[in-house]
Amino acid sequence: MSDAAHAHGHDDHGHHAHPTGMMRWLTTTNHKDIGTLYLWFALIMLFSAGTMALLIRAELFQPGLQLVHPDFFNQLTTMHGLIMIFGAIMPAFTGFANWQVPLMIGAPDMAFPRMNNWSFWLLPVAGLMLFSSFLLPGGAVAGGWTMYPPLFIQGGISYDLTILAVHIMGLSSIMGSINIITTILNMRAPGLTLMKMPLFVWTWLITAYLLIATMPVLAGSVTMLLTDRNFGTHFFNAAGGGDPVMFQHIFWFFGHPEVYILILPAFGIVSQIIPTFARKPLFGYASMVYATASIAILSFIVWAHHMFAVGLPAAAQLFFMFSTMLIAVPTGVKVFNWVATMWKGSMTFETPMLFAIAFVCLFTIGGFSGLVLAIAPVDIQLQDTYYVVAHFHYVLVSGALFSIFGGIYFWLPKWTGHMYDETLGKWHFWLSVIGMNILFFPMHFLGLAGMPRRIPDYALQFTEFNQIATVGAFIFGFSQLIFLVVVLKAIKGGARAADRVWEGAEGLEWTVPSPAPYHTFETAPVLK
Amino acid sequence: MSDPASMADKPNGKYRTAAMLAVLALGLFLFTLYSGLK
């Protein structure tokens, strides 16, 4: 793709006047502006929910109750999960999609720019609703991010507010997904066939289908919660003939594909970074595409591995156990391909590559602990212990979040026109990777020893590993301030970035100037 | 996607794609509610 004809964008001259200041951001239909909004929103949510995590870890530094009331502790764990998933990770990936998908496929913008604006601005509304629930009588929701009845049927007004916020965030995701799929299917540059698309575009195409298939299911399940709470229905109320376990089935039919919604774009980002810094084409491109699609399809037939402890029939336990293990096959293909791409490559280790390599190593640890949990008899022992917390944080922090950091370092020079501070970037990486492992690795031992999750107090024998984890949490948490400094410095100034920022970079986005002009590819580039 | 040369110019294609996806999403939402009634 590097030999694609240059289709330089140009400045706003000749276009009608754009609003400035706050009105620019409120009314913008430009994919780059909206991408920037998504990324800043995600960063604010990351710091907010990260602060909640530090409060949780501070409380757990020693046994007994120190800092927060147990009910507030439950609110913190619930809101931390909800905000990190729906407010930080998902919007961050959507920010990448907004910035990069049109640039990578040679499109002038997203297919529906006005709907794109609406998709974003629904999110701060939902975020405000979630945060304001802390101020309501009874405080914020405290029943866990999974919203299980009966707790979620019994809570106060903040539960209704949260259900409404989830509806709004779901609507935003569905509209965003429609935009992304339509853009990719209809607006690719001439010559850019599906099997020539960059892996990041492929992973987002598949992720957007997953979103369209699962978000309505989540919306349906929380709608039933809402009617159970307010309109006298008994979908999930056992006293009225309903079935609370049915909620778990419906929720996890959404929830497990959601896990892949959070990780497939990460696979895409890493698949762009590793070939660039290994200076080799991605090994096994076609197998990467098919592996991504396989993971997405398999994600719909594994949901009940989250529910082994509810008393499933043995045949169902076996089915969900083996189908879950099957996901290791396409995931293994991906890890093999990333390693094979690096094999005998001319590798350099700039910050994006460091995050990508850490992703491959640490995400694999999270994948392996997932395989352990897939074994039904083992899962029944480890259900609701810190082993599960360790598992999904290895997937979501060293997996999803590290890929986001890697992607931002990778494309920040293209977005801002300035190189970031490499020294600070490396400090951010090493403190993050060390802090993250000190934080989450001891949780495996805590879980194996039987420490339950979602508790503000614990038995004395768990003290040491909890203290280690809390130290790691503060190292990891405060090292994110370095990331903020790096981003602000790059926005403000720094060494000029070349059009093709990285020596090994391939793709249409590197054919436009740095920073990418406000309008790009108004004339479609032609790929040879 | 049969003709790569025509990809850049599909003014009606995008509305058709979006409409089909929106109908799919709405159908799944209603089916979830229906499955809860049984």
Side-chain angles (χ1 to χ4, degrees):
Chain A
M1 278 191 295
S2 58
D3 57 351
H6 277 231
H8 290 292
H10 44 77
D11 295 334
D12 294 343
H13 309 300
H15 291 265
H16 56 82
H18 289 283
T20 54
M22 193 59 201
M23 283 309 287
R24 168 188 168 182
W25 298 102
L26 277 172
T27 61
T28 183
T29 53
N30 182 285
H31 72 101
K32 300 180 185 85
D33 278 355
I34 294 172
T36 303
L37 286 170
Y38 268 109
L39 289 166
W40 275 112
F41 176 79
L43 191 64
I44 292 166
M45 293 295 115
L46 179 77
F47 280 116
S48 306
T51 305
M52 293 177 197
L54 290 184
L55 266 173
I56 291 167
R57 284 313 322 168
E59 174 58 51
L60 293 173
F61 184 68
Q62 54 185 10
L65 299 173
Q66 281 78 231
L67 297 172
V68 294
H69 188 276
D71 190 51
F72 186 60
F73 183 91
N74 290 339
Q75 294 172 31
L76 288 175
T77 55
T78 303
M79 294 294 278
H80 167 77
L82 277 172
I83 294 172
M84 279 296 188
I85 291 168
F86 292 107
I89 303 291
M90 286 172 71
F93 283 132
T94 314
F96 278 107
N98 266 283
W99 254 103
Q100 290 305 125
V101 165
L103 282 179
M104 289 172 126
I105 65 171
D109 207 309
M110 300 294 278
F112 304 104
R114 288 184 183 86
M115 188 167 80
N116 204 16
N117 173 289
W118 196 25
S119 298
F120 171 76
W121 280 108
L122 284 176
L123 276 184
V125 175
L128 277 176
M129 290 168 85
L130 280 178
F131 280 113
S132 61
S133 67
F134 274 113
L135 306 173
L136 292 171
V141 287
W145 83 274
T146 49
M147 300 182 275
Y148 280 2
L151 282 178
F152 237 78
I153 295 177
Q154 296 163 347
I157 184 76
S158 62
Y159 287 71
D160 295 309
L161 203 63
T162 301
I163 289 169
L164 189 55
V166 168
H167 268 129
I168 293 172
M169 290 187 288
L171 189 64
S172 161
S173 288
I174 290 169
M175 291 195 303
S177 301
I178 289 174
N179 227 334
I180 288 167
I181 293 173
T182 310
T183 304
I184 295 171
L185 293 186
N186 292 280
M187 295 173 67
R188 299 194 309 280
L192 186 62
T193 57
L194 282 174
M195 289 308 278
K196 283 184 185 171
M197 291 196 308
L199 234 292
F200 177 73
V201 180
W202 254 116
T203 54
W204 242 114
L205 179 65
I206 292 167
T207 301
Y209 274 114
L210 281 181
L211 277 163
I212 297 226
T214 60
M215 277 296 161
V217 178
L218 174 68
S221 64
V222 296
T223 302
M224 287 185 268
L225 274 183
L226 194 72
T227 59
D228 272 9
R229 288 175 52 80
N230 297 296
F231 302 108
T233 59
H234 298 288
F235 288 110
F236 308 126
N237 183 357
D243 182 3
V245 175
M246 184 177 73
F247 177 85
Q248 297 188 28
H249 279 290
I250 299 173
F251 179 84
W252 285 113
F253 186 81
F254 146 80
H256 200 77
E258 169 70 16
V259 173
Y260 295 98
I261 288 163
L262 296 170
I263 205 66
L264 292 185
F267 291 169
I269 291 172
V270 168
S271 300
Q272 300 299 134
I273 294 173
I274 289 178
T276 301
F277 294 98
R279 291 164 180 79
K280 278 175 65 189
L282 184 68
F283 183 90
Y285 170 89
S287 69
M288 287 297 238
V289 173
Y290 296 131
T292 309
S294 304
I295 291 169
I297 292 164
L298 285 171
S299 75
F300 285 104
I301 58 164
V302 299
W303 76 88
H305 69 215
H306 296 272
M307 304 166 53
F308 282 141
V310 304
L312 295 174
Q317 292 197 27
L318 286 171
F319 173 81
F320 286 108
M321 182 169 92
F322 291 130
S323 60
T324 302
M325 290 177 171
L326 210 54
I327 294 185
V329 177
T331 311
V333 168
K334 284 182 163 290
V335 173
F336 178 86
N337 285 350
W338 289 321
V339 175
T341 304
M342 288 187 270
W343 182 257
K344 292 189 176 178
S346 301
M347 299 221 292
T348 51
F349 299 95
E350 288 86 345
T351 309
M353 185 60 160
L354 290 175
F355 272 109
I357 293 171
F359 171 94
V360 175
C361 299
L362 298 174
F363 171 78
T364 305
I365 291 177
F368 274 127
S369 57
L371 273 176
V372 173
L373 289 168
I375 305 164
V378 176
D379 183 80
I380 287 167
Q381 297 294 315
L382 295 175
Q383 168 87 17
D384 275 339
T385 69
Y386 258 82
Y387 193 88
V388 179
V389 180
H391 156 67
F392 68 71
H393 280 97
Y394 264 85
V395 172
L396 291 177
V397 176
S398 52
L401 187 60
F402 274 21
S403 80
I404 290 167
F405 287 146
I408 286 177
Y409 284 109
F410 186 54
W411 283 306
L412 196 61
K414 176 57 64 186
W415 299 343
T416 65
H418 303 121
M419 294 305 290
Y420 62 86
D421 187 326
E422 189 65 51
T423 309
L424 280 182
K426 286 202 165 80
W427 270 101
H428 173 229
F429 168 75
W430 284 111
L431 285 172
S432 292
V433 82
I434 291 167
M436 177 268 162
N437 279 291
I438 296 173
L439 165 56
F440 294 118
F441 208 79
M443 290 184 186
H444 292 105
F445 306 129
L446 287 170
L448 290 169
M451 179 173 161
R453 61 190 286 205
R454 293 171 172 155
I455 53 163
D457 188 11
Y458 50 82
L460 285 176
Q461 70 265 29
F462 302 129
T463 306
E464 284 80 6
F465 282 132
N466 268 297
Q467 292 187 330
I468 294 168
T470 298
V471 169
F474 278 83
I475 295 172
F476 180 69
F478 280 96
S479 61
Q480 303 321 308
L481 295 174
I482 302 173
F483 173 68
L484 183 64
V485 171
V486 174
V487 171
L488 292 174
K489 272 185 75 174
I491 291 170
K492 205 173 172 191
R496 297 289 305 173
D499 294 359
R500 188 164 167 238
V501 176
W502 310 106
E503 185 189 38
E506 300 281 342
L508 282 175
E509 77 264 41
W510 307 109
T511 65
V512 301
S514 298
Y518 200 62
H519 297 286
T520 39
F521 298 124
E522 289 183 298
T523 307
V526 178
L527 281 90
K528 292 174 186 169
Chain B
M1 298 309 100
S2 55
D3 180 13
S6 65
M7 278 172 196
D9 184 25
K10 284 188 173 179
N12 295 320
K14 70 177 190 177
Y15 294 108
R16 195 181 310 127
T17 309
M20 287 192 310
L21 293 170
V23 167
L24 174 66
L26 186 62
L28 283 165
F29 174 68
L30 294 174
F31 180 74
T32 306
L33 292 180
Y34 171 72
S35 69
L37 288 173
K38 287 201 289 186

